């Protein structure tokens, strides 16, 4: 047997995916962290969507507002944890708290499975959890990798999220009958705990493979500051404020389409079981397309053309999509636009957005980033929800909302282009400083 065959196979693998041999373990661990997190989340997501429709499409804005209020309550709690806990343990403590929450909801579902207020509370909780938990996972990666490495590896690592997005709905469909909703929540708690273990391994990997300019002490110490320092950091920094505006515009675009999806799905598929199946099929198709793009295209695009292209392409496509939906408001058109938006967001926008934080300060990577990803994002959701509802009431046809969505998407693209330029300037500045 030719002993050089395994080596040549590894060489081809690293060449195809543009990673160095020493980086393979960290890519695997990062992908595992996201896979476990997203598998647990996507097991529960279709149930949440059906609960939202069951509460009345006309009342969705109240759930979005409730989510925003819950996010405002959660932010100081997270800020306190981030101020007091060593940087490398912020995710561990937060995920442990969320795992305990899942166990509590599981007990509540067993005790009173038909309680509508427990269902609404879970809808809101899951909407807060998914943003904060995902944001924290990206914070760890932005903390451990420089911008040059992130451009090559972030999309590959994000492929673990897409794989989890594929596995989660399948597991949920297969297991909901034998173990029930409470069982799914307990399984998600176990997966979340395992995801925290993968994050801890990543920190240990960086300890053994320090960056040339890195001091190891800061990650072993708390960030300090006050619980709301993430918000004040955004107010002080034009760069972070630009990211916040980008996220608000993204959230408004997503909310406009989400409300239109709820309306058209409710009209097209009156049966709740069929609604859940439709949401599950869309999730499966989206994650399949996303993982292929993440693995084979995103890193190459970012490395060759920069982050800006990742932040601009999808908003421009969405501007055209809103125009199409304005003139053809049917479910088939919406399904295409929703799939394109979600694939583009997961495969291009999200990795690009997270790369912006690789040139930020440590406190910005955790506190400011999570303030933007939770409070700012859910605030954009709430604004978008009420604006969309108001437009639907005032207008006999939703085309007006779609035309406004076009304008918002164009503003989103402009903001993305500006951020791409600012990130390049910051990266050059950091490279010059480390060379001195």
């Amino acid at each position: 047997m030719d002993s050089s065959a395994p080596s040549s196979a590894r060489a081809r693998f690293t060449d195809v995916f543009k990673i160095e041999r020493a980086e393979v373990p960290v890519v695997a661990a990062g992908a595992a962290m996201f896979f476990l997190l997203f598998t647990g989340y996507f097991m529960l997501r279709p149930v949440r969507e059906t609960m939202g429709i069951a509460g009345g499409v006309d009342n969705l804005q109240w759930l979005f507002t409730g989510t925003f209020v819950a996010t405002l309550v959660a932010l100081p709690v997270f800020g306190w944890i981030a101020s007091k806990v060593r940087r490398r343990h912020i995710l561990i403590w937060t995920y442990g708290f969320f795992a305990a929450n899942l166990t509590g909801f599981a007990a509540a579902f067993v005790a009173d499975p038909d309680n509508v207020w427990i269902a609404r509370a879970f809808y809101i909780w899951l909407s807060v959890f998914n943003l904060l938990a995902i944001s924290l996972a990206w914070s760890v990666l932005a903390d451990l990798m420089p911008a040059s490495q992130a451009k090559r590896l972030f999309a590959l690592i994000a492929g673990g999220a897409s794989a989890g997005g594929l596995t989660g709905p399948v597991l949920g469909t297969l297991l909901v009958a034998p173990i029930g909703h409470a069982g799914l929540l307990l399984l998600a708690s176990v997966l979340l705990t395992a995801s925290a273990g993968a994050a801890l391994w990543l920190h240990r990997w960086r300890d053994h493979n320090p960056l040339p300019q890195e001091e190891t002490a800061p990650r072993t110490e708390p960030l300090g500051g006050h619980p709301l320092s993430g918000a004040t950091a955004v107010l002080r920094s034009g760069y972070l404020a630009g990211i916040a505006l980008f996220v608000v515009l993204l959230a408004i675009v997503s909310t406009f389409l989400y409300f239109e999806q709820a309306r058209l799905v409710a009209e097209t598929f009156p049966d709740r079981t069929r609604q859940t199946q439709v949401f599950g099929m869309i999730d499966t198709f989206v994650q399949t397309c996303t993982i292929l793009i993440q693995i084979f295209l995103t890193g190459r695009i970012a490395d060759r053309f920069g982050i800006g292209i990742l932040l601009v392409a999808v908003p421009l496509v969405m501007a055209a999509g809103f125009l199409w939906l304005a003139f053809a408001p049917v479910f088939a058109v919406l399904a295409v636009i929703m799939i394109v938006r979600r694939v583009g967001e997961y495969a291009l926008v999200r990795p690009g957005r997270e790369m912006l934080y690789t040139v930020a300060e440590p406190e910005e990577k955790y506190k400011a980033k999570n303030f933007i990803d939770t409070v700012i994002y859910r605030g954009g959701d709430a604004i978008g929800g009420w604006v969309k509802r108001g437009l639907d009431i005032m207008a006999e046809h939703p085309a007006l909302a779609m035309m406004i969505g076009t304008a918002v998407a164009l503003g989103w693209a402009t903001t993305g282009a500006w951020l791409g330029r600012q990130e390049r300037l910051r990266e050059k500045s950091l490279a010059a400083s480390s060379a001195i």
Side-chain angles (χ1 to χ4, degrees), residues 36-37 95-96 98-99 102 129 133 187-197:
L36 294 164
L37 172 62
Y95 279 20
F98 282 145
L102 283 167
F129 157 80
L187 178 57
S189 177
V190 173
L191 293 171
L192 185 62
T193 303
S195 178

Side-chain angles (χ1 to χ4, degrees), residues 131-147:
L131 288 184
L132 184 55
I134 294 169
S135 177
L136 259 179
W138 282 112
S139 290
V140 170
L141 292 180
D143 198 18
L144 300 180
M145 295 185 186

Side-chain angles (χ1 to χ4, degrees), residues 143-271:
D143 198 18
L144 300 180
M145 295 185 186
S148 58
Q149 196 174 36
K151 288 178 182 178
R152 293 184 295 103
L153 303 185
F154 268 24
L156 283 173
I157 292 172
S162 298
L166 278 171
T167 306
V170 174
L171 281 179
T173 301
L174 293 176
L175 297 177
V176 67
I179 68 176
H181 291 152
L184 289 181
L185 266 63
L186 290 176
L187 178 57
S189 177
V190 173
L191 293 171
L192 185 62
T193 303
S195 178
L200 185 59
W201 187 94
L202 285 169
H203 276 289
R204 290 174 176 169
W205 168 83
R206 180 50 79 195
D207 291 341
H208 295 293
N209 299 273
L211 296 172
Q213 73 276 17
E214 180 184 50
E215 296 181 5
T216 57
R219 283 191 299 112
T220 66
E221 298 173 358
L223 290 171
H226 55 83
L228 297 179
S229 55
T232 57
V234 173
L235 294 175
R236 291 194 306 264
S237 168
Y239 183 67
L240 294 176
I243 298 176
L245 177 60
F246 183 86
V247 168
V248 167
L249 297 174
L250 180 157
I252 292 174
V253 167
S254 300
T255 300
F256 272 37
L257 289 174
Y258 182 90
F259 275 48
E260 198 65 11
Q261 171 185 268
R263 183 181 70 83
L264 291 175
V265 168
E267 291 177 357
T268 309
F269 308 101
D271 179 68

Side-chain angles (χ1 to χ4, degrees), residues 41-50 126 283 342 346:
Y41 169 61
F42 272 88
M43 281 196 309
L44 308 175
R45 190 174 184 272
V47 178
R48 184 198 68 171
E49 304 300 348
T50 303
L126 194 66
D283 282 348
R342 290 177 58 194
Y346 297 154

